[in-house]
Structure formats: structure tokens, C-alpha cells
Amino acid sequence: MRVEIKLRPAEDGTLLPFNYNYDVYTQLLGKISLVSPELARKVETSQLDYFTFSRIMIRKREIVPEKGIRVLADDVSLYVSSHSPEVIKAISEGFIDSPTLRIEDATFIADDVRVLREPKLSGNSLFSTLSPILVRTVRLVDGKMKVWDLYPDDPLFQDKLRKVMLLRYSTIYGGMPSSKDFRIEVIKFKPVRILVRNVYYRGSLMVFRYSGSEDIAKLGYENGFGEKTRYGFGMVKVIDSERERGGLERTQ
């Protein structure tokens, strides 16, 4: 289930910091807590990532070096997605009860929250990221084990992504999908680095062709591909599916 939250900057010339993922995460938890404190505690303390969210989509902006993004548009969009209708319902109602979203000194007002129609997912779909995909491993560096962020051109990327998605699926649904095999063909990607609290994560914005398990495709669409999706990683949109060969279906 997925919603689009239409946000209006509270002031002209609002400056959005470059690294806002953790602020958005805590604000979404706050919205859930307004509706159901028990659900918020469950989402926050669980090993499971219950949702993912997009980058803040700003249609007209100006980059201010060393400071952030100057919002020049009258409205921006934030997309939030989850396998749990209960979580999406709580976030939506939380924004209705308290429509402000604060990110450091930037304040936005939620003017509208709408549920988006589900795309026709299949085992052969073209996806584009709305937030970077994060895949990690552990490597021995200078005699020490170090967490290492992988880019799609690394030979380990596919295997680690597969293991992550299968583990996440089994955690959510209590068992393995009927088909476990899938792969992605990366058409293009752009590496990005995002600070979440005091840790830098290196992920990839990309367009990729997905083929294989429909169950994993659905999980990736609903909860994001890769790791740390609760912090705004791994959200995708469908560009094209084998069921829509008459033309590209652009849907969030």
C-alpha cells in the first residue's frame, strides 16, 4: 500500500538540508504514534523494516553549496509505502491530525494525503528508484572486518541483494516465497552518499529490469529493495511491466 503526501513549504525560500532521511523517519514514527503509540513502538523496535519512503520530490529547486536545497516550488511530494495497511493508515491519519513535517529549520504543511493505485506487478518489470538502493557486505580491510557498501557493478551485489530480500520476505511472512529466484539487470545507476544520524551510507539510484519471483517483486515494491528501507532506501516505481506492452505505465 502506498500514499503520496503533498507538502507545501511553510515559508518562501525554505532551505531543505541535504541529509534529511533520519528526520523524515522520526517524523513518520511520530505520525504513527499520534494514532497508535503501541504500533509506533512495534515499528521502531522491530528488526523488520515496516515501511520505506522516497526522496522529497521537489519540482523546482536550487542547490545551495554546503547548505542544502532551496525549495522554489509551491508544493513537493513524499511517497511512503508498506506491506502493512495498518502502518500506512496510521501515517495518513497522523498527517491529518498534525499536518506539519519539520526537518531541522525547514517546515512543510501537508495539504493532501492520497492512496495510490497498485501497479500491475509481474515477474518481468522495469523499475526506477525513488530512493537509493542500499546493499552491504563485510570485508577484511587492513586486518579488520569492515562493513562495505556495494554498488551494482560489484560482482557481490546480486548475490547479497538476493539474500537480503529472501531474509526480509521470510521475516515478514514466516516462510520462503514459492519462487526464490530473481535477478536485476541494471540499465543505469548513480552512486549517492547519505548521512543517517552519524553514519554515511552509499547507495545507488538506478533504472533496472527485474525478472523472476513475483513475490519478491511485490515485496520490493511495497517495502523497498535492499537494506535500511525504514531510513528511506530502496523505494521504486514501476516504469513498465510485461502486462502493459502497449505503452509505458507511469505509476508511483
Side-chain angles (χ1 to χ4, degrees), residues 134-137 139 147-151 154 200-203:
L134 176 68
V135 177
R136 318 181 89 196
T137 190
R139 285 177 172 167
V147 176
W148 198 270
D149 299 329
L150 300 172
Y151 292 131
D154 191 300
Y200 277 105
Y201 296 96
R202 292 168 177 82

Side-chain angles (χ1 to χ4, degrees), residues 92-159:
S92 301
E93 291 181 358
F95 271 104
I96 293 171
D97 293 342
S98 176
T100 58
L101 179 74
R102 294 186 177 89
I103 302 171
E104 294 187 10
D105 295 330
T107 300
F108 298 89
I109 310 299
D111 287 331
D112 186 37
V113 180
R114 67 186 185 98
V115 177
L116 300 175
R117 69 182 179 88
E118 295 292 314
K120 297 177 181 178
L121 291 172
S122 73
N124 186 11
S125 298
L126 187 64
F127 289 109
S128 176
T129 52
L130 294 174
S131 58
I133 293 176
L134 176 68
V135 177
R136 318 181 89 196
T137 190
V138 177
R139 285 177 172 167
L140 184 64
V141 180
D142 297 328
K144 297 180 180 180
M145 300 306 294
K146 181 179 179 181
V147 176
W148 198 270
D149 299 329
L150 300 172
Y151 292 131
D153 55 359
D154 191 300
L156 287 177
F157 183 89
Q158 290 269 358
D159 184 58

